[in-house]
Amino acid sequence: DALGIVTARAGVNVSGGQLLVGSGVTIGNAGVATFSGTADVHLHDDVQLKIGDSSDLNVYHTGGNNYISGTPNLYVQSNSAVALRTVGQENMVVATPNGSVSLYHDNSKKFETVSTGCSVYGNLATNGDFTITGDSTNSIQLRVVPDEKNLVAIANAAVELYYNNSKKFETTNDGTVTTGIS
């Protein structure tokens, strides 16, 4: 029990009350620290904020990188969109509650999951085999612009090739049909 200024050699034990440090930090008798006011909490480089009984979630900064690491799993939950953005607010990844996930390049959407599969905006490049699969009731159409066909593959039926939106080659049950010079 001390009133006024205390000088301690081996630490200070506060029991039965709370410890108030300045006007912004309160440590209650249950060990809960409350930070209020306008002061920030600063951790120097390579000092980790460890969370959990086994210190299994870590947040820290090295000289050039920021890290959030933990085991076993890391979940980010929100009732609205979750986004990874640059400091300049450019989208990189946006996941929305309705199930869509969008990937961006230089703040321009390039890939999006939709209820029927996915949409690709721009060119699609591959350095290996490229396979398109579907069920037996669908067809596949490749278009240069929205109204110009290049290739149509109809499930359990024909494959058609087009030049300038005009059909030039088609497979049939009996063979092939070519329109024009062959």
Short mmCIF file of all heavy atoms in Angstrom, two decimals, residues 27-96:
data_model
loop_
_atom_site.label_atom_id
_atom_site.label_comp_id
_atom_site.label_asym_id
_atom_site.label_seq_id
_atom_site.Cartn_x
_atom_site.Cartn_y
_atom_site.Cartn_z
N ILE A 27 -4.53 -1.37 -16.95
CA ILE A 27 -4.42 -2.83 -16.84
C ILE A 27 -5.29 -3.22 -15.65
O ILE A 27 -5.02 -2.86 -14.51
CB ILE A 27 -2.97 -3.28 -16.63
CG1 ILE A 27 -2.12 -2.80 -17.82
CG2 ILE A 27 -2.90 -4.80 -16.48
CD1 ILE A 27 -0.65 -3.06 -17.67
N GLY A 28 -6.40 -3.91 -15.96
CA GLY A 28 -7.36 -4.28 -14.94
C GLY A 28 -6.89 -5.44 -14.10
O GLY A 28 -5.91 -6.12 -14.41
N ASN A 29 -7.64 -5.74 -13.02
CA ASN A 29 -7.24 -6.82 -12.12
C ASN A 29 -7.40 -8.20 -12.75
O ASN A 29 -6.89 -9.17 -12.22
CB ASN A 29 -7.98 -6.72 -10.78
CG ASN A 29 -9.49 -6.74 -10.96
OD1 ASN A 29 -10.00 -6.86 -12.07
ND2 ASN A 29 -10.20 -6.63 -9.85
N ALA A 30 -8.07 -8.30 -13.90
CA ALA A 30 -8.17 -9.59 -14.60
C ALA A 30 -7.07 -9.76 -15.63
O ALA A 30 -7.04 -10.74 -16.36
CB ALA A 30 -9.54 -9.71 -15.28
N GLY A 31 -6.17 -8.77 -15.73
CA GLY A 31 -5.06 -8.87 -16.67
C GLY A 31 -5.39 -8.34 -18.06
O GLY A 31 -4.62 -8.51 -18.99
N VAL A 32 -6.53 -7.67 -18.21
CA VAL A 32 -6.92 -7.12 -19.51
C VAL A 32 -6.38 -5.70 -19.62
O VAL A 32 -6.63 -4.87 -18.76
CB VAL A 32 -8.46 -7.12 -19.66
CG1 VAL A 32 -8.87 -6.47 -20.96
CG2 VAL A 32 -8.99 -8.55 -19.57
N ALA A 33 -5.63 -5.45 -20.69
CA ALA A 33 -5.08 -4.11 -20.92
C ALA A 33 -6.01 -3.37 -21.85
O ALA A 33 -6.46 -3.89 -22.87
CB ALA A 33 -3.68 -4.20 -21.52
N THR A 34 -6.33 -2.12 -21.51
CA THR A 34 -7.16 -1.26 -22.32
C THR A 34 -6.34 -0.06 -22.74
O THR A 34 -5.75 0.61 -21.90
CB THR A 34 -8.40 -0.79 -21.53
OG1 THR A 34 -9.10 -1.94 -21.07
CG2 THR A 34 -9.32 0.05 -22.39
N PHE A 35 -6.30 0.19 -24.06
CA PHE A 35 -5.57 1.33 -24.59
C PHE A 35 -6.61 2.33 -25.09
O PHE A 35 -7.47 2.01 -25.88
CB PHE A 35 -4.67 0.90 -25.75
CG PHE A 35 -3.62 -0.08 -25.35
CD1 PHE A 35 -3.87 -1.44 -25.34
CD2 PHE A 35 -2.36 0.37 -24.97
CE1 PHE A 35 -2.89 -2.34 -24.96
CE2 PHE A 35 -1.38 -0.53 -24.58
CZ PHE A 35 -1.65 -1.89 -24.58
N SER A 36 -6.54 3.54 -24.60
CA SER A 36 -7.49 4.57 -25.02
C SER A 36 -6.74 5.86 -25.28
O SER A 36 -5.53 5.95 -25.08
CB SER A 36 -8.56 4.76 -23.95
OG SER A 36 -7.96 5.18 -22.74
N GLY A 37 -7.46 6.86 -25.72
CA GLY A 37 -6.81 8.12 -26.03
C GLY A 37 -6.33 8.12 -27.46
O GLY A 37 -6.83 7.39 -28.32
N THR A 38 -5.32 8.92 -27.75
CA THR A 38 -4.83 9.06 -29.12
C THR A 38 -3.48 8.41 -29.34
O THR A 38 -2.92 8.51 -30.42
CB THR A 38 -4.72 10.56 -29.47
OG1 THR A 38 -3.83 11.18 -28.54
CG2 THR A 38 -6.08 11.23 -29.42
N ALA A 39 -2.93 7.75 -28.35
CA ALA A 39 -1.61 7.13 -28.48
C ALA A 39 -1.70 5.81 -29.22
O ALA A 39 -2.67 5.07 -29.10
CB ALA A 39 -0.99 6.92 -27.09
N ASP A 40 -0.70 5.49 -30.05
CA ASP A 40 -0.61 4.23 -30.76
C ASP A 40 0.22 3.25 -29.95
O ASP A 40 0.96 3.62 -29.05
CB ASP A 40 0.09 4.43 -32.12
CG ASP A 40 -0.73 5.31 -33.06
OD1 ASP A 40 -1.97 5.30 -32.96
OD2 ASP A 40 -0.11 5.99 -33.89
N VAL A 41 0.10 1.97 -30.29
CA VAL A 41 0.94 0.93 -29.72
C VAL A 41 2.01 0.63 -30.76
O VAL A 41 1.70 0.31 -31.90
CB VAL A 41 0.13 -0.34 -29.39
CG1 VAL A 41 1.04 -1.45 -28.91
CG2 VAL A 41 -0.96 -0.02 -28.38
N HIS A 42 3.26 0.75 -30.41
CA HIS A 42 4.36 0.53 -31.35
C HIS A 42 5.18 -0.68 -30.93
O HIS A 42 5.55 -0.81 -29.77
CB HIS A 42 5.28 1.76 -31.39
CG HIS A 42 4.64 2.97 -31.96
ND1 HIS A 42 4.66 3.25 -33.31
CD2 HIS A 42 3.94 3.97 -31.38
CE1 HIS A 42 4.01 4.37 -33.53
NE2 HIS A 42 3.56 4.83 -32.37
N LEU A 43 5.45 -1.55 -31.90
CA LEU A 43 6.37 -2.67 -31.71
C LEU A 43 7.50 -2.46 -32.70
O LEU A 43 7.26 -2.23 -33.88
CB LEU A 43 5.67 -4.01 -31.97
CG LEU A 43 4.48 -4.35 -31.09
CD1 LEU A 43 3.85 -5.67 -31.53
CD2 LEU A 43 4.88 -4.43 -29.63
N HIS A 44 8.73 -2.56 -32.26
CA HIS A 44 9.88 -2.37 -33.12
C HIS A 44 10.02 -3.54 -34.09
O HIS A 44 9.40 -4.60 -33.93
CB HIS A 44 11.15 -2.20 -32.29
CG HIS A 44 11.16 -0.92 -31.50
ND1 HIS A 44 11.51 0.28 -32.06
CD2 HIS A 44 10.82 -0.67 -30.22
CE1 HIS A 44 11.41 1.23 -31.14
NE2 HIS A 44 10.99 0.69 -30.01
N ASP A 45 10.87 -3.38 -35.13
CA ASP A 45 11.12 -4.44 -36.10
C ASP A 45 11.49 -5.75 -35.39
O ASP A 45 12.21 -5.74 -34.40
CB ASP A 45 12.27 -4.06 -37.03
CG ASP A 45 11.84 -3.02 -38.06
OD1 ASP A 45 10.67 -2.63 -38.07
OD2 ASP A 45 12.71 -2.61 -38.87
N ASP A 46 10.97 -6.83 -35.93
CA ASP A 46 11.24 -8.20 -35.49
C ASP A 46 10.68 -8.52 -34.10
O ASP A 46 10.96 -9.59 -33.56
CB ASP A 46 12.74 -8.52 -35.54
CG ASP A 46 13.28 -8.39 -36.95
OD1 ASP A 46 12.66 -8.94 -37.87
OD2 ASP A 46 14.32 -7.72 -37.12
N VAL A 47 9.90 -7.62 -33.50
CA VAL A 47 9.21 -7.91 -32.24
C VAL A 47 7.83 -8.44 -32.62
O VAL A 47 7.12 -7.84 -33.41
CB VAL A 47 9.07 -6.65 -31.35
CG1 VAL A 47 8.22 -6.96 -30.13
CG2 VAL A 47 10.45 -6.16 -30.94
N GLN A 48 7.47 -9.60 -32.09
CA GLN A 48 6.23 -10.26 -32.49
C GLN A 48 5.13 -10.05 -31.46
O GLN A 48 5.37 -10.14 -30.26
CB GLN A 48 6.47 -11.76 -32.68
CG GLN A 48 7.44 -12.07 -33.80
CD GLN A 48 7.57 -13.55 -34.04
OE1 GLN A 48 6.72 -14.34 -33.64
NE2 GLN A 48 8.63 -13.94 -34.70
N LEU A 49 3.91 -9.79 -31.97
CA LEU A 49 2.72 -9.81 -31.16
C LEU A 49 2.24 -11.26 -31.21
O LEU A 49 1.89 -11.76 -32.27
CB LEU A 49 1.66 -8.86 -31.71
CG LEU A 49 0.28 -8.92 -31.05
CD1 LEU A 49 0.38 -8.51 -29.58
CD2 LEU A 49 -0.70 -8.02 -31.79
N LYS A 50 2.28 -11.94 -30.08
CA LYS A 50 1.91 -13.36 -30.03
C LYS A 50 0.56 -13.48 -29.36
O LYS A 50 0.32 -12.93 -28.30
CB LYS A 50 2.96 -14.15 -29.26
CG LYS A 50 4.31 -14.17 -29.97
CD LYS A 50 5.30 -15.02 -29.23
CE LYS A 50 6.57 -15.16 -29.99
NZ LYS A 50 6.50 -16.12 -31.08
N ILE A 51 -0.33 -14.25 -30.01
CA ILE A 51 -1.70 -14.39 -29.54
C ILE A 51 -2.03 -15.87 -29.40
O ILE A 51 -1.63 -16.68 -30.23
CB ILE A 51 -2.67 -13.72 -30.54
CG1 ILE A 51 -2.29 -12.23 -30.72
CG2 ILE A 51 -4.11 -13.85 -30.09
CD1 ILE A 51 -2.99 -11.55 -31.86
N GLY A 52 -2.77 -16.22 -28.37
CA GLY A 52 -3.18 -17.60 -28.14
C GLY A 52 -2.42 -18.22 -26.99
O GLY A 52 -1.32 -17.79 -26.64
N ASP A 53 -3.00 -19.27 -26.38
CA ASP A 53 -2.38 -19.93 -25.25
C ASP A 53 -1.00 -20.49 -25.59
O ASP A 53 -0.11 -20.54 -24.76
CB ASP A 53 -3.27 -21.06 -24.72
CG ASP A 53 -4.52 -20.53 -24.05
OD1 ASP A 53 -4.56 -19.32 -23.70
OD2 ASP A 53 -5.47 -21.32 -23.87
N SER A 54 -0.83 -20.93 -26.84
CA SER A 54 0.47 -21.47 -27.26
C SER A 54 1.23 -20.49 -28.15
O SER A 54 2.14 -20.90 -28.85
CB SER A 54 0.24 -22.78 -28.04
OG SER A 54 -0.40 -23.72 -27.22
N SER A 55 0.83 -19.23 -28.11
CA SER A 55 1.46 -18.21 -28.97
C SER A 55 1.46 -18.66 -30.42
O SER A 55 2.45 -18.52 -31.14
CB SER A 55 2.89 -17.91 -28.50
OG SER A 55 2.88 -17.38 -27.21
N ASP A 56 0.31 -19.20 -30.88
CA ASP A 56 0.27 -19.79 -32.21
C ASP A 56 -0.21 -18.85 -33.31
O ASP A 56 -0.31 -19.24 -34.45
CB ASP A 56 -0.54 -21.08 -32.23
CG ASP A 56 -1.77 -21.04 -31.37
OD1 ASP A 56 -2.08 -19.98 -30.82
OD2 ASP A 56 -2.41 -22.07 -31.24
N LEU A 57 -0.47 -17.58 -32.99
CA LEU A 57 -0.73 -16.56 -34.00
C LEU A 57 0.26 -15.44 -33.76
O LEU A 57 0.40 -14.94 -32.65
CB LEU A 57 -2.16 -16.02 -33.91
CG LEU A 57 -2.48 -14.84 -34.84
CD1 LEU A 57 -2.36 -15.26 -36.31
CD2 LEU A 57 -3.87 -14.30 -34.56
N ASN A 58 0.98 -15.06 -34.81
CA ASN A 58 2.02 -14.04 -34.69
C ASN A 58 1.81 -12.95 -35.72
O ASN A 58 1.54 -13.24 -36.89
CB ASN A 58 3.41 -14.66 -34.91
CG ASN A 58 3.68 -15.77 -33.91
OD1 ASN A 58 3.88 -15.49 -32.74
ND2 ASN A 58 3.66 -17.00 -34.37
N VAL A 59 1.95 -11.72 -35.30
CA VAL A 59 1.92 -10.56 -36.19
C VAL A 59 3.22 -9.81 -35.96
O VAL A 59 3.54 -9.47 -34.81
CB VAL A 59 0.71 -9.65 -35.89
CG1 VAL A 59 0.70 -8.45 -36.81
CG2 VAL A 59 -0.60 -10.43 -35.99
N TYR A 60 3.97 -9.57 -37.04
CA TYR A 60 5.23 -8.87 -36.86
C TYR A 60 5.70 -8.23 -38.14
O TYR A 60 5.17 -8.49 -39.23
CB TYR A 60 6.31 -9.80 -36.29
CG TYR A 60 6.64 -11.00 -37.15
CD1 TYR A 60 7.77 -11.01 -37.96
CD2 TYR A 60 5.85 -12.14 -37.11
CE1 TYR A 60 8.08 -12.11 -38.73
CE2 TYR A 60 6.16 -13.25 -37.87
CZ TYR A 60 7.27 -13.23 -38.68
OH TYR A 60 7.58 -14.32 -39.45
N HIS A 61 6.71 -7.39 -38.00
CA HIS A 61 7.30 -6.65 -39.11
C HIS A 61 8.81 -6.81 -39.06
O HIS A 61 9.42 -6.66 -38.00
CB HIS A 61 6.92 -5.16 -39.01
CG HIS A 61 7.64 -4.30 -39.99
ND1 HIS A 61 7.26 -4.21 -41.31
CD2 HIS A 61 8.71 -3.48 -39.85
CE1 HIS A 61 8.06 -3.38 -41.94
NE2 HIS A 61 8.96 -2.93 -41.08
N THR A 62 9.40 -7.15 -40.20
CA THR A 62 10.85 -7.12 -40.31
C THR A 62 11.21 -5.82 -41.02
O THR A 62 10.34 -5.03 -41.35
CB THR A 62 11.38 -8.33 -41.10
OG1 THR A 62 10.90 -8.24 -42.44
CG2 THR A 62 10.95 -9.64 -40.48
N GLY A 63 12.45 -5.61 -41.31
CA GLY A 63 12.85 -4.37 -41.97
C GLY A 63 12.14 -4.09 -43.28
O GLY A 63 11.92 -2.95 -43.63
N GLY A 64 11.75 -5.12 -44.02
CA GLY A 64 11.13 -4.88 -45.32
C GLY A 64 9.81 -5.58 -45.56
O GLY A 64 9.19 -5.38 -46.60
N ASN A 65 9.35 -6.42 -44.64
CA ASN A 65 8.14 -7.20 -44.88
C ASN A 65 7.27 -7.25 -43.63
O ASN A 65 7.76 -7.14 -42.50
CB ASN A 65 8.49 -8.64 -45.29
CG ASN A 65 9.25 -8.67 -46.60
OD1 ASN A 65 8.75 -8.21 -47.62
ND2 ASN A 65 10.46 -9.19 -46.58
N ASN A 66 5.97 -7.47 -43.86
CA ASN A 66 5.00 -7.63 -42.78
C ASN A 66 4.48 -9.06 -42.82
O ASN A 66 4.27 -9.61 -43.89
CB ASN A 66 3.83 -6.66 -42.96
CG ASN A 66 4.30 -5.23 -42.96
OD1 ASN A 66 4.90 -4.79 -42.00
ND2 ASN A 66 4.06 -4.52 -44.03
N TYR A 67 4.24 -9.65 -41.65
CA TYR A 67 3.84 -11.05 -41.58
C TYR A 67 2.67 -11.25 -40.62
O TYR A 67 2.62 -10.64 -39.56
CB TYR A 67 4.99 -11.94 -41.10
CG TYR A 67 6.17 -11.96 -42.04
CD1 TYR A 67 7.22 -11.07 -41.88
CD2 TYR A 67 6.22 -12.88 -43.09
CE1 TYR A 67 8.30 -11.08 -42.74
CE2 TYR A 67 7.30 -12.89 -43.95
CZ TYR A 67 8.33 -12.00 -43.78
OH TYR A 67 9.39 -12.03 -44.64
N ILE A 68 1.76 -12.14 -41.01
CA ILE A 68 0.76 -12.72 -40.12
C ILE A 68 0.94 -14.22 -40.30
O ILE A 68 0.77 -14.73 -41.40
CB ILE A 68 -0.67 -12.31 -40.50
CG1 ILE A 68 -0.85 -10.80 -40.42
CG2 ILE A 68 -1.68 -13.01 -39.57
CD1 ILE A 68 -2.19 -10.31 -40.93
N SER A 69 1.33 -14.90 -39.25
CA SER A 69 1.56 -16.34 -39.37
C SER A 69 0.91 -17.05 -38.20
O SER A 69 0.73 -16.48 -37.13
CB SER A 69 3.07 -16.64 -39.40
OG SER A 69 3.67 -16.27 -38.17
N GLY A 70 0.53 -18.29 -38.45
CA GLY A 70 -0.09 -19.05 -37.37
C GLY A 70 -0.38 -20.47 -37.78
O GLY A 70 -0.35 -20.83 -38.94
N THR A 71 -0.66 -21.28 -36.77
CA THR A 71 -1.06 -22.66 -36.99
C THR A 71 -2.22 -22.94 -36.06
O THR A 71 -2.32 -22.34 -34.99
CB THR A 71 0.09 -23.62 -36.66
OG1 THR A 71 0.54 -23.39 -35.34
CG2 THR A 71 1.24 -23.48 -37.64
N PRO A 72 -3.15 -23.79 -36.39
CA PRO A 72 -3.16 -24.59 -37.61
C PRO A 72 -3.72 -23.84 -38.82
O PRO A 72 -3.19 -23.96 -39.91
CB PRO A 72 -4.07 -25.76 -37.25
CG PRO A 72 -5.02 -25.21 -36.22
CD PRO A 72 -4.25 -24.16 -35.47
N ASN A 73 -4.79 -23.08 -38.71
CA ASN A 73 -5.40 -22.39 -39.84
C ASN A 73 -5.52 -20.91 -39.56
O ASN A 73 -5.60 -20.49 -38.41
CB ASN A 73 -6.81 -22.95 -40.13
CG ASN A 73 -6.79 -24.42 -40.50
OD1 ASN A 73 -5.95 -24.85 -41.28
ND2 ASN A 73 -7.69 -25.18 -39.93
N LEU A 74 -5.57 -20.12 -40.61
CA LEU A 74 -5.79 -18.68 -40.50
C LEU A 74 -7.07 -18.36 -41.25
O LEU A 74 -7.18 -18.63 -42.44
CB LEU A 74 -4.61 -17.91 -41.11
CG LEU A 74 -4.72 -16.39 -41.12
CD1 LEU A 74 -4.74 -15.86 -39.69
CD2 LEU A 74 -3.58 -15.78 -41.90
N TYR A 75 -8.06 -17.82 -40.56
CA TYR A 75 -9.33 -17.46 -41.16
C TYR A 75 -9.50 -15.95 -41.11
O TYR A 75 -9.21 -15.32 -40.10
CB TYR A 75 -10.51 -18.09 -40.41
CG TYR A 75 -10.52 -19.61 -40.49
CD1 TYR A 75 -10.07 -20.38 -39.44
CD2 TYR A 75 -10.99 -20.25 -41.62
CE1 TYR A 75 -10.08 -21.76 -39.51
CE2 TYR A 75 -11.01 -21.63 -41.70
CZ TYR A 75 -10.56 -22.38 -40.65
OH TYR A 75 -10.56 -23.75 -40.72
N VAL A 76 -9.98 -15.38 -42.21
CA VAL A 76 -10.37 -13.97 -42.25
C VAL A 76 -11.87 -13.98 -42.49
O VAL A 76 -12.33 -14.50 -43.50
CB VAL A 76 -9.64 -13.21 -43.37
CG1 VAL A 76 -10.12 -11.77 -43.44
CG2 VAL A 76 -8.13 -13.29 -43.18
N GLN A 77 -12.64 -13.46 -41.55
CA GLN A 77 -14.09 -13.51 -41.65
C GLN A 77 -14.67 -12.10 -41.69
O GLN A 77 -14.16 -11.20 -41.02
CB GLN A 77 -14.69 -14.26 -40.47
CG GLN A 77 -14.30 -15.73 -40.45
CD GLN A 77 -14.88 -16.46 -39.26
OE1 GLN A 77 -14.78 -15.98 -38.14
NE2 GLN A 77 -15.48 -17.59 -39.50
N SER A 78 -15.74 -11.95 -42.48
CA SER A 78 -16.41 -10.66 -42.59
C SER A 78 -17.83 -10.88 -43.05
O SER A 78 -18.12 -11.86 -43.76
CB SER A 78 -15.67 -9.78 -43.59
OG SER A 78 -16.37 -8.58 -43.82
N ASN A 79 -18.74 -10.00 -42.67
CA ASN A 79 -20.11 -10.04 -43.18
C ASN A 79 -20.23 -9.33 -44.52
O ASN A 79 -21.29 -9.35 -45.15
CB ASN A 79 -21.08 -9.40 -42.18
CG ASN A 79 -21.25 -10.26 -40.95
OD1 ASN A 79 -21.17 -11.49 -41.02
ND2 ASN A 79 -21.46 -9.63 -39.81
N SER A 80 -19.17 -8.69 -44.96
CA SER A 80 -19.15 -8.04 -46.27
C SER A 80 -17.89 -8.50 -46.99
O SER A 80 -17.28 -9.47 -46.60
CB SER A 80 -19.21 -6.53 -46.11
OG SER A 80 -18.14 -6.07 -45.31
N ALA A 81 -17.49 -7.81 -48.03
CA ALA A 81 -16.36 -8.24 -48.85
C ALA A 81 -15.05 -8.26 -48.06
O ALA A 81 -14.86 -7.46 -47.15
CB ALA A 81 -16.21 -7.33 -50.06
N VAL A 82 -14.18 -9.18 -48.43
CA VAL A 82 -12.81 -9.23 -47.92
C VAL A 82 -11.92 -8.92 -49.11
O VAL A 82 -12.04 -9.55 -50.16
CB VAL A 82 -12.47 -10.61 -47.34
CG1 VAL A 82 -11.00 -10.69 -46.96
CG2 VAL A 82 -13.34 -10.92 -46.14
N ALA A 83 -11.04 -7.94 -48.97
CA ALA A 83 -10.21 -7.52 -50.09
C ALA A 83 -8.75 -7.42 -49.69
O ALA A 83 -8.43 -7.01 -48.57
CB ALA A 83 -10.69 -6.17 -50.62
N LEU A 84 -7.87 -7.84 -50.59
CA LEU A 84 -6.44 -7.55 -50.48
C LEU A 84 -6.19 -6.39 -51.43
O LEU A 84 -6.48 -6.49 -52.62
CB LEU A 84 -5.60 -8.76 -50.87
CG LEU A 84 -5.73 -10.00 -50.01
CD1 LEU A 84 -4.86 -11.12 -50.57
CD2 LEU A 84 -5.35 -9.71 -48.57
N ARG A 85 -5.66 -5.30 -50.89
CA ARG A 85 -5.46 -4.09 -51.68
C ARG A 85 -4.07 -3.53 -51.44
O ARG A 85 -3.46 -3.78 -50.41
CB ARG A 85 -6.47 -3.00 -51.30
CG ARG A 85 -7.87 -3.32 -51.68
CD ARG A 85 -8.79 -2.17 -51.33
NE ARG A 85 -10.11 -2.41 -51.85
CZ ARG A 85 -11.18 -1.78 -51.45
NH1 ARG A 85 -11.09 -0.87 -50.50
NH2 ARG A 85 -12.34 -2.05 -51.97
N THR A 86 -3.62 -2.73 -52.39
CA THR A 86 -2.38 -1.99 -52.20
C THR A 86 -2.67 -0.80 -51.30
O THR A 86 -3.82 -0.47 -51.04
CB THR A 86 -1.84 -1.48 -53.55
OG1 THR A 86 -2.77 -0.52 -54.07
CG2 THR A 86 -1.63 -2.61 -54.54
N VAL A 87 -1.62 -0.15 -50.84
CA VAL A 87 -1.78 1.04 -50.03
C VAL A 87 -2.58 2.10 -50.80
O VAL A 87 -3.36 2.85 -50.23
CB VAL A 87 -0.40 1.59 -49.58
CG1 VAL A 87 -0.55 2.93 -48.88
CG2 VAL A 87 0.29 0.59 -48.68
N GLY A 88 -2.43 2.14 -52.11
CA GLY A 88 -3.16 3.08 -52.95
C GLY A 88 -4.58 2.64 -53.26
O GLY A 88 -5.23 3.19 -54.14
N GLN A 89 -5.10 1.64 -52.55
CA GLN A 89 -6.47 1.12 -52.69
C GLN A 89 -6.73 0.43 -54.02
O GLN A 89 -7.87 0.35 -54.48
CB GLN A 89 -7.50 2.24 -52.46
CG GLN A 89 -7.47 2.83 -51.06
CD GLN A 89 -7.77 1.77 -50.01
OE1 GLN A 89 -8.77 1.08 -50.06
NE2 GLN A 89 -6.88 1.63 -49.04
N GLU A 90 -5.70 -0.09 -54.69
CA GLU A 90 -5.91 -0.89 -55.89
C GLU A 90 -6.24 -2.31 -55.47
O GLU A 90 -5.54 -2.91 -54.66
CB GLU A 90 -4.67 -0.90 -56.78
CG GLU A 90 -4.42 0.40 -57.49
CD GLU A 90 -3.29 0.29 -58.51
OE1 GLU A 90 -2.65 -0.78 -58.62
OE2 GLU A 90 -3.06 1.29 -59.21
N ASN A 91 -7.34 -2.86 -56.02
CA ASN A 91 -7.73 -4.23 -55.70
C ASN A 91 -6.72 -5.22 -56.25
O ASN A 91 -6.22 -5.06 -57.36
CB ASN A 91 -9.11 -4.54 -56.29
CG ASN A 91 -10.21 -3.86 -55.54
OD1 ASN A 91 -10.15 -3.70 -54.33
ND2 ASN A 91 -11.23 -3.44 -56.25
N MET A 92 -6.45 -6.27 -55.48
CA MET A 92 -5.66 -7.41 -55.93
C MET A 92 -6.53 -8.66 -55.89
O MET A 92 -6.59 -9.41 -56.84
CB MET A 92 -4.42 -7.58 -55.07
CG MET A 92 -3.43 -6.42 -55.22
SD MET A 92 -1.92 -6.63 -54.26
CE MET A 92 -2.51 -6.47 -52.59
N VAL A 93 -7.24 -8.89 -54.77
CA VAL A 93 -8.17 -10.01 -54.60
C VAL A 93 -9.38 -9.48 -53.84
O VAL A 93 -9.22 -8.79 -52.83
CB VAL A 93 -7.54 -11.18 -53.79
CG1 VAL A 93 -8.54 -12.31 -53.60
CG2 VAL A 93 -6.28 -11.69 -54.45
N VAL A 94 -10.59 -9.80 -54.32
CA VAL A 94 -11.81 -9.41 -53.62
C VAL A 94 -12.71 -10.63 -53.54
O VAL A 94 -13.04 -11.25 -54.55
CB VAL A 94 -12.55 -8.26 -54.33
CG1 VAL A 94 -13.86 -7.94 -53.61
CG2 VAL A 94 -11.68 -7.02 -54.40
N ALA A 95 -13.11 -11.02 -52.31
CA ALA A 95 -14.03 -12.12 -52.09
C ALA A 95 -15.30 -11.53 -51.48
O ALA A 95 -15.24 -10.80 -50.51
CB ALA A 95 -13.41 -13.15 -51.14
N THR A 96 -16.45 -11.86 -52.07
CA THR A 96 -17.72 -11.28 -51.61
C THR A 96 -18.60 -12.37 -51.01
O THR A 96 -18.46 -13.55 -51.33
CB THR A 96 -18.47 -10.60 -52.76
OG1 THR A 96 -18.68 -11.54 -53.81
CG2 THR A 96 -17.68 -9.42 -53.30
#
